[in-house]
């Protein structure tokens, strides 16, 4: 009997899970707001809870997405720098070391006056980056590109680089720290980064853009402060690992970067799907449906609930859920007949924390002919009653692949 | 947003879980007896079931407590001897080998007449130990200290010791067996233990204490039978591993020893908190509340349910549950406002077995703002309906740490 292979859509509603919110009478946003379309996928499918990385582990969006794509982040996560670089479209190669940077304001003695240089942004950051990109220190090429707001990436390309160095980010401290090597092998790399820091200050301190800022009473962005050094991630490409063509539908640079590093294509989106609070979920869902015509596997990320969670705004998060529910309705009405759909989040972002937590996240998996359970409310508690039980992030893709009739028999 | 860190209390009701008891109309003691205060923590929190070590693995109290403290016992458990030694306050050091011993009665041909020497206890055991402590065999110092009832610990200190030797305990057999080396490296150590056995018999057979016992018609305690050899455990200290100050509130030597080996402080308790059937749980709970003023993390152990289980006495175990429930009520009424509380057991001790089983144990985790589930009866079956799902012993501390807002983000 030839069983047709199904396509797969994984919808990651970033940071959607929560804890009891005092502003919502002790309910979570998912418990507080009606969401009949999200519930439809659960009622017609199976619910469960999922530890994105592991029980009690508080994941970043990066490590959580690696898990959701079926990888063990403890094996493949090599620091945020390389993922950020991939996310903004830098061409990171084996042997490179990438670091995330902030534009900052320092005085002559390298005291940090403003860690974000007055939240400088484009086009000024692009103007400043232009004079930094391509600096050579000890034979190492320093590639620089602006990222969102006051952020940028520094990519080192050359021989004998090693990412085991400390952050130059002063954190709570006020004096800019030089990078220290954590291993003997990384001494050369620390020296290169510190050399870049000095050269960077020399080139930025009197830069015309900064002169204009000072004249306007704004802090000059006269240094780039690097942190999160990492090397090129060594990841088995997702299409080879699972035998499918795959794309991501995401607006946020970092998510795109992670997906690209895992070998997924980044599906082009219109400007109004940009991973902000105002991102248009219906357009994004339309793009996901289009992508499913071309690809076997599509991961879709909606960033807005995470933003509301970081803002600690339970009411705003509830409003986002209404829009996500409308999106779920669109998917329900427009999806191909034989699709496997997983609705979940990469981590909880409880409003009372304003940050990620290690709580398990709700998950619903739907496809035709799946064994239904009694779970009916897509929420942290409602999904916990479902037939999936408690799974891990990296179980999601194997479970979907099997429901899609795409797995090889192990044994006979 | 600065989120306050909470303190954590883990209450281990030793051996509390059970199987269907014929004496209780086929119910478990937890199903048979009302316990509204234990239920309160579940109703206001989350329930689940927990495999202390792994599904179907029948743990000892020692391996289960290591798991509950977040360790993998397969990595850190080095035999019961060292944990028993730590529990009775012996100063075990790297390189030492420790063995648990019974005082026993043998005849001239080393036939064992009574494996527990008529359940001899203090002060007689202390009198006998005095003539054994400090014996030197082949340059190895033999340190001996009495433990509870007919038990003692033999600690070997010297060069080239190796714990890979068989037990001298005859078990079902009646003839005292000499220790055999399990590896070539352990040949010397087996020789030392066997040399100690001979010297021990020589010194004890005509000891005044034993002459008095024989005159009174009691079996002489004329040998120490060692088993459970192990070396100094190599464990990352709990306070460093989890970034908290930590103490245990326990009456039983072995539990204190395990906690001490894991770097927890042993909180001093009055004599009526001695880990027996009559141990005063309210006083113990008071001490736990005091300890929480000083420490971030407190593990509390109540031994009585395990004792009732080993006695196969389901009615007695039910009575113990009434007292545990009163204790839970005391904790509920006296705990600090922002506390994470986990109620669980280290293993089931089903009355029909009179010994530990590998069944999963019930667990409830409570804290303010936790997402509640619908579980409401703290029992083996009632907790299985809860939102925690099925977890492992070593997930408990990470989950509590995250609920206490004490975890570092992994990634960003």
């Amino acid at each position: 009997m030839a069983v047709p292979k199904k396509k797969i859509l994984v919808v990651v509603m970033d940071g959607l899970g929560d804890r009891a919110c005092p502003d919502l009478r002790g309910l979570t946003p998912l418990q507080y707001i009606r969401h009949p379309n999200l519930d439809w996928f659960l009622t017609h499918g199976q619910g469960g809870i999922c530890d994105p990385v592991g029980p009690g582990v508080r994941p970043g969006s990066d490590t959580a997405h690696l898990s959701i794509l079926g990888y063990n982040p403890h094996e493949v996560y090599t620091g945020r720098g390389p993922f950020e670089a991939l996310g903004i479209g830098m061409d990171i190669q084996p042997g490179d070391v990438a670091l995330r940077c902030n534009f900052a304001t320092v005085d002559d003695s390298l005291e940090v006056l403003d860690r974000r240089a007055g939240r400088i942004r484009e086009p000024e950051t692009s103007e400043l980056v232009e004079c930094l990109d391509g600096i050579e220190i000890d034979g190492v090429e320093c590639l620089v590109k602006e990222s969102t707001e006051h952020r940028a990436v520094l990519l080192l390309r050359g021989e004998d680089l090693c990412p085991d160095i400390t952050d130059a980010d002063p954190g709570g401290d006020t004096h800019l720290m030089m990078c220290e090597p954590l291993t003997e092998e990384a001494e050369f790399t620390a020296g290169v980064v510190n050399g870049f820091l000095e050269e960077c200050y020399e080139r930025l301190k009197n830069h015309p853009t900064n002169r204009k800022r000072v004249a306007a009473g704004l802090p000059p962005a006269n240094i780039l402060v690097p942190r999160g050094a990492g090397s090129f991630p060594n990841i088995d490409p997702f299409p080879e690992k699972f035998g499918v063509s795959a794309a991501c539908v995401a607006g946020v640079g970092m998510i795109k970067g992670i997906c690209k590093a895992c070998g997924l294509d980044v599906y082009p989106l219109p400007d109004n799907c940009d991973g902000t609070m105002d991102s248009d979920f219906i357009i994004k869902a339309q793009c996901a449906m289009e992508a499913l015509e071309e690809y076997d596997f599509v991961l879709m990320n909606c960033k807005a609930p995470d933003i509301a969670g970081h803002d600690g705004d339970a009411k705003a998060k509830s409003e986002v859920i209404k829009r996500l529910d409308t999106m779920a309705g669109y998917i329900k009405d427009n999806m191909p007949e034989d699709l496997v759909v997983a609705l979940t989040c990469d981590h909880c972002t409880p409003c009372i924390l304003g940050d990620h937590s290690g709580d398990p996240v709700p998950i619903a998996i739907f496809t035709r002919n799946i064994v239904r359970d009694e779970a009916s409310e897509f929420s942290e508690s409602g999904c916990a009653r479902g037939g999936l039980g408690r799974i891990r992030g990296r179980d999601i893709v194997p479970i979907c692949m099997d429901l899609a009739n795409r797995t090889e028999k192990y044994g006979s």
Side-chain angles (χ1 to χ4, degrees), chain A residues 305-362:
Chain A
D306 184 54
I307 299 171
H310 278 282
D311 288 344
D313 190 339
K315 291 275 166 66
K317 196 165 175 181
S318 305
E319 292 302 312
V320 168
I321 292 171
K322 282 189 194 167
R323 291 166 50 213
L324 289 170
D325 192 61
T326 308
M327 177 193 78
Y330 180 89
I331 295 173
K332 171 167 74 79
D333 296 337
N334 292 280
M335 64 188 178
E337 193 188 1
D338 250 357
L339 184 66
V340 177
V341 181
L343 302 179
T344 190
C345 6
D346 52 348
H347 51 75
C348 295
T349 306
C351 293
I352 52 163
L353 301 186
D355 204 344
H356 306 180
S357 74
D359 298 302
V361 300

Side-chain angles (χ1 to χ4, degrees), chain A residues 155-379:
Chain A
L155 190 65
L156 307 178
R157 180 162 296 158
E159 300 292 312
D160 302 322
L161 294 170
C162 170
D164 300 336
I165 58 174
T166 62
D167 292 346
D169 190 329
D173 204 351
T174 59
H175 196 81
L176 183 65
M177 291 184 290
M178 294 289 114
C179 292
E180 300 283 341
L182 294 168
T183 60
E184 207 172 308
E185 208 190 334
E187 277 174 21
F188 172 67
T189 308
V192 169
V193 173
N194 293 333
F196 172 82
L197 277 179
E198 284 169 33
E199 182 64 27
C200 178
Y201 178 67
E202 287 305 314
R203 294 194 185 195
L204 292 181
K205 65 180 179 185
N206 295 313
H207 191 282
T209 301
N210 277 328
R211 282 208 296 260
K212 267 186 250 162
R213 286 179 66 83
V214 172
L218 294 169
N222 54 13
I223 196 115
L224 264 187
V225 185
R227 65 182 191 279
S231 54
F232 184 80
N234 187 10
I235 298 178
D236 285 345
F238 186 92
E240 289 171 26
K241 188 174 160 87
F242 293 107
V244 290
S245 58
C248 78
V249 172
V252 177
M254 197 226 289
I255 306 300
K256 291 193 276 191
I258 287 165
C259 290
K260 206 190 283 183
C262 296
L264 279 74
D265 288 347
V266 175
Y267 198 80
L269 298 182
D271 287 345
N272 51 356
C273 297
D274 56 354
T276 65
M277 275 300 269
D278 304 322
S279 200
D280 189 322
F281 298 153
I282 297 295
I283 305 266
K284 192 176 267 183
Q286 280 173 0
C287 293
M289 293 302 110
E290 280 171 27
L292 280 168
E293 289 172 22
E294 194 178 332
Y295 294 92
D296 301 322
F297 176 95
V298 171
L299 179 136
M300 178 178 173
N301 175 283
C302 299
K303 187 70 177 171
D306 184 54
I307 299 171
H310 278 282
D311 288 344
D313 190 339
K315 291 275 166 66
K317 196 165 175 181
S318 305
E319 292 302 312
V320 168
I321 292 171
K322 282 189 194 167
R323 291 166 50 213
L324 289 170
D325 192 61
T326 308
M327 177 193 78
Y330 180 89
I331 295 173
K332 171 167 74 79
D333 296 337
N334 292 280
M335 64 188 178
E337 193 188 1
D338 250 357
L339 184 66
V340 177
V341 181
L343 302 179
T344 190
C345 6
D346 52 348
H347 51 75
C348 295
T349 306
C351 293
I352 52 163
L353 301 186
D355 204 344
H356 306 180
S357 74
D359 298 302
V361 300
I363 179 166
I365 298 184
F366 161 82
T367 193
R368 224 158 46 109
N369 297 327
I370 197 171
V371 176
R372 295 188 196 180
D373 57 31
E374 287 158 29
S376 59
E377 184 194 80
F378 187 83
S379 70

